[in-house]
Amino acid sequence: MSLKRIDLLICCGSGCVSAGSLKIKERFHEVLAEHNLTNEVNIIETGCMGPCDYGPVMVIYPEGIFYKKVSPEDVPEIVAEHFIKGRPVARLMLQEEEKTISTHKDIPFYEKQIKVALENCGYINPESLEEYIATGGYEALAKILTEMKAQDVINVIKESGLRGRGGGGFPTHIKWQMVHDKQADQKYIICNGDEGDPGAFMD
């Protein structure tokens, strides 16, 4: 991703896509071209940002301004007022108890959340390996491949208390230990690749 004056992060989780976020993205491309601003704005598709009931949502950096329920008709105003004049569009910001919440991090939905595996969700393009690596992606894998032995990895998983997410909650390290200890010339991995729940994409 090239460095530009503005990073426009558009939520493209399933909820926002169904509410029209891809049409908003297309409209931004059109309006930015009309104002000769294409080279000043990065338009980035992100995974689900979380507050789906406010969708389509977007975050604009460097300020971190959060806009909710954006429509294609709002795009010319955002470009003219926010991108060109530096005046965020207040009517698209979240209102809570007569208070305007302008930035992503101040939204009540996020106040008590601590994201671990999904800490970069809503910040980077989920389809870009370059952005993932730039934010520390694959560092653990690199450490495993260059510094650790198989038993070391199993011990870390055991200490972490990691369990399966199914009804049994089976300890992950036991499965890994059994496979590790089994003597065989060839081993197989059988993976449940789809939970099958409508609208669920955890696998």
Side-chain angles (χ1 to χ4, degrees):
M1 180 177 67
S2 60
L3 293 176
K4 297 184 180 180
R5 181 169 65 88
I6 295 170
D7 284 337
L8 168 60
L9 279 63
I10 300 177
C11 177
C12 287
S14 57
C16 283
V17 168
S18 65
S21 62
L22 295 180
K23 292 181 180 178
I24 294 168
K25 176 188 172 185
E26 293 174 4
R27 186 63 178 135
F28 266 109
H29 279 295
E30 295 170 356
V31 177
L32 290 172
E34 292 170 4
H35 289 275
N36 296 315
L37 293 174
T38 300
N39 293 328
E40 296 187 33
V41 180
N42 277 318
I43 299 178
I44 304 164
E45 292 186 18
T46 77
C48 179
M49 292 184 182
C52 302
D53 51 332
Y54 296 134
V57 299
M58 62 182 59
V59 179
I60 299 172
Y61 289 101
E63 306 99 322
I65 298 296
F66 175 85
Y67 287 145
K68 65 176 180 63
K69 296 190 180 298
V70 180
S71 70
E73 291 73 27
D74 296 320
V75 172
E77 182 179 2
I78 294 172
V79 172
E81 292 296 316
H82 191 158
F83 294 178
I84 296 176
K85 298 178 182 178
R87 300 188 300 214
V89 182
R91 67 178 182 81
L92 295 175
M93 296 178 186
L94 182 62
Q95 303 289 329
E96 288 282 344
E97 298 179 353
E98 300 183 358
K99 176 185 177 183
T100 298
I101 298 175
S102 60
T103 60
H104 189 235
K105 61 183 178 61
D106 293 328
I107 298 173
F109 178 83
Y110 297 107
E111 282 183 350
K112 297 181 180 180
Q113 295 185 28
I114 300 176
K115 293 183 178 180
V116 181
L118 296 176
E119 64 177 336
N120 292 315
C121 182
Y123 295 95
I124 65 173
N125 182 348
E127 297 183 348
S128 170
L129 287 178
E130 290 79 7
E131 291 186 29
Y132 178 62
I133 292 171
T135 53
Y138 298 121
E139 286 183 357
L141 177 61
K143 181 177 180 180
I144 288 170
L145 295 176
T146 60
E147 301 177 20
M148 302 175 72
K149 296 181 179 179
Q151 189 60 54
D152 296 330
V153 177
I154 294 172
N155 291 341
V156 169
I157 296 299
K158 181 178 180 179
E159 292 171 7
S160 74
L162 183 66
R163 292 175 174 268
R165 297 296 298 275
F170 197 81
T172 302
H173 77 275
I174 295 179
K175 297 179 183 179
W176 290 20
Q177 191 70 62
M178 288 190 295
V179 174
H180 174 270
D181 294 343
K182 181 68 176 179
Q183 299 299 313
D185 294 332
Q186 188 170 9
K187 299 180 182 181
Y188 298 88
I189 296 175
I190 300 175
C191 178
N192 174 13
D194 182 11
E195 292 295 342
D197 303 334
F201 307 104
M202 68 279 285
D203 293 337

